[in-house]
Amino acid sequence: MRIDVHAHYWTDDYLDLLVDLGRTDTDAQRGQGAGGGAELDARLRLMDRAGVDMQILSAAPLLPHFAEPEKAVPTARFVNDQYAAVAAARPDRFRAFAALPMPHVEESIVEMGRALDELGMAGVVLNTTVLDRVLVEPEFAPIFAELDRRGAVLYLHPAGNSACTPLIADHHQTWMVGAPVEDTISVVQLITNGIPTRYPNVKIINSHLGGALPMLMQRLDNQYRWAAPETVELPSIAARRMWYDTVGHGHVPALRAAIDSLGAERLLLGTDFPYEAGDIFVRAIEYINDPSIDPAAAKLILDANAQALLGIDN
């Protein structure tokens, strides 16, 4: 079964709600084909064209992360109810990752339970930072503990904050460079803080081939003992306790590096729809079958890994 784990969905109602609550960064998500109605119908036609059976929808990076719980909690419920309705209407084509009202830990655990137990969602989505705070802060440990108790999937996506540096933000690089930098920083923080080992039942999916992780693996192994001596195991071993989507904009050398560094069994099909749409969407799938990719590895990535990880039956 061909499952796309990196696909976005935003209704105008949700985007308008975020604006009413003070968000100013919703324009890039409007009119991109990621909404309901006719846009959803067009998405399904494109999925059929590309041979994608199912998408796991997520609201990242526009997640209901607000400093005020009175904003975050009802907004998380609103978007999760929307996603659950889409999945219920077309269970053969869509599932969804649940949004949490972070950084409010107790409220997030309550909404996690509602979304997973009552709404039947496929897992949880967080941005790689929450209001510019890193996920490995001790205050967020109960979130990982609850995910671990449940054996749940946690999908991570860049926040679009340019890794909190003007070197990226002030030079038009927020998404071209900043997003994979956010991925890289986040996954290395998870590794050096021992998250995959401390919470072995959490099925963590990192975006965009893990950013620069495939190119840095040997460097991490060589330097962690003095750079981050609290790291509990070899980074290359910890990295293979997690999963990574294949959003690489059709760049075959990057995909080969991820297969060689992380293992084909740890890669999941991702497209980044609607930002990879039309012919580019088709290319996001087809490049995995490039002649330089081992056919056995391609089959795992395209048709087996996500279904096994998410526990979705045909």
Side-chain angles (χ1 to χ4, degrees):
M1 188 175 190
R2 194 155 292 182
I3 301 173
D4 173 8
V5 303
H6 187 154
H8 302 290
Y9 176 77
W10 303 286
T11 66
D12 286 340
D13 287 345
Y14 180 60
L15 297 177
D16 291 343
L17 175 59
L18 294 178
V19 171
D20 290 344
L21 294 173
R23 292 285 294 255
T24 60
D25 56 348
T26 66
D27 287 348
Q29 285 73 32
R30 297 179 187 270
Q32 297 288 339
E39 289 188 348
L40 193 64
D41 293 337
R43 180 201 296 247
L44 284 165
R45 289 193 295 272
L46 181 60
M47 289 168 61
D48 289 341
R49 175 186 164 197
V52 173
D53 298 305
M54 179 179 289
Q55 287 186 327
I56 313 299
L57 306 174
S58 66
L62 295 182
L63 294 175
H65 296 171
F66 292 97
E68 305 90 344
E70 62 270 20
K71 291 183 178 181
V73 172
T75 308
R77 292 181 64 91
F78 180 93
V79 71
N80 288 336
D81 287 345
Q82 279 199 334
Y83 274 56
V86 172
R90 290 301 306 266
D92 57 326
R93 305 307 299 269
F94 297 114
R95 298 286 196 279
F97 291 130
L100 301 182
M102 293 286 278
H104 312 288
V105 171
E106 292 185 7
E107 293 89 339
S108 290
I109 290 173
V110 170
E111 182 61 14
M112 186 192 309
R114 187 182 82 93
L116 298 181
D117 297 338
E118 299 178 23
L119 302 183
M121 301 185 87
V124 168
V125 58
L126 290 173
N127 288 337
T128 52
T129 51
V130 175
L131 303 182
D132 295 345
R133 296 171 58 187
V134 298
L135 298 180
V136 295
E137 286 189 13
E139 182 180 336
F140 297 147
I143 299 293
F144 284 101
E146 180 64 10
L147 289 165
D148 189 70
R149 185 186 72 82
R150 290 175 168 274
V153 172
L154 172 61
Y155 171 61
L156 300 179
H157 187 281
N161 64 6
S162 298
C164 301
T165 172
L167 296 176
I168 295 174
D170 294 351
H171 297 277
H172 315 291
Q173 297 179 35
T174 295
W175 291 107
M176 287 192 300
V177 174
V181 168
E182 289 185 67
D183 293 319
T184 307
I185 292 170
S186 173
V187 72
V188 174
Q189 287 172 340
L190 295 174
I191 289 170
T192 56
N193 284 273
I195 298 298
T197 305
R198 288 161 54 196
Y199 305 103
N201 298 316
V202 185
K203 304 172 181 70
I204 300 173
I205 305 172
N206 300 284
S207 295
H208 308 119
L209 299 170
L213 182 66
M215 281 63 72
L216 296 175
M217 192 63 67
Q218 191 60 57
R219 183 183 182 95
L220 297 178
D221 281 356
N222 289 349
Q223 297 186 353
Y224 82 96
R225 290 181 178 86
W226 59 266
E230 70 281 2
T231 305
V232 298
E233 65 181 342
L234 199 68
S236 57
I237 294 176
R240 287 175 177 250
R241 298 186 188 278
M242 296 181 281
W243 286 261
Y244 307 82
D245 73 46
T246 60
V247 176
H249 293 263
H251 190 51
V252 176
L255 177 61
R256 289 201 304 265
I259 292 172
D260 290 346
S261 299
L262 303 166
E265 70 279 4
R266 292 290 160 170
L267 300 181
L268 312 173
L269 173 64
T271 66
D272 206 1
F273 182 88
Y275 299 107
E276 295 193 30
D279 291 343
I280 300 174
F281 180 88
V282 176
R283 172 66 176 159
I285 293 96
E286 289 183 344
Y287 97 118
I288 298 169
N289 278 322
D290 185 87
S292 67
I293 303 297
D294 176 18
K299 183 172 179 58
L300 283 174
I301 296 166
L302 288 169
D303 299 318
N305 292 341
Q307 185 176 359
L309 181 69
L310 297 167
I312 294 175
D313 296 328
N314 285 320

